Amino acid sequence: LGAGAGGAGSFIPSTMVHPDTYINKVVLGSTCGALALFNFRSGKRLHTFKSCAGAGGVTALAPSPALDVVAVGRADGTISLVHLRQDKLIFKLKAQGGP
């Protein structure tokens, strides 16, 4: 996917989640570790989340029962909770004994 809003460069999606109440929008995680909000009808990137940029590609995304919150799993064993609307890292931990 192209650069779109939020910066230049290539974005190679690795996982996707559709948060509740996000009409026509999905959150995509990438192999480079970026997380971005896309409008799937237009194909445009609406926002790149700065609060959760990190090393390790995104391997898993999961919605939370709390609105605007998703869980992010990374290849390096890091797991975090991100508040999408505020672009804020809520919680982060690193799995012990992982890759």
Side-chain angles (χ1 to χ4, degrees):
L1 297 170
S10 181
F11 187 94
I12 301 170
S14 56
T15 188
M16 176 184 78
V17 68
H18 178 254
D20 290 342
T21 73
Y22 281 57
I23 299 171
N24 297 329
K25 296 175 186 79
V26 292
V27 176
L28 297 177
S30 77
T31 57
C32 67
L35 194 67
L37 180 68
F38 281 83
N39 180 308
F40 66 81
R41 291 220 185 253
S42 69
K44 292 185 179 180
R45 188 183 320 185
L46 304 174
H47 183 72
T48 299
F49 297 95
K50 295 175 182 18
S51 64
C52 60
V58 178
T59 58
L61 291 172
S64 165
L67 289 179
D68 302 317
V69 176
V70 297
V72 180
R74 296 184 180 277
D76 67 356
T78 303
I79 302 166
S80 56
L81 292 178
V82 177
H83 192 286
L84 300 174
R85 193 170 300 267
Q86 296 177 1
D87 194 356
K88 180 180 175 183
L89 180 66
I90 298 171
F91 179 79
K92 182 176 178 179
L93 63 90
K94 175 97 176 197
Q96 295 296 316

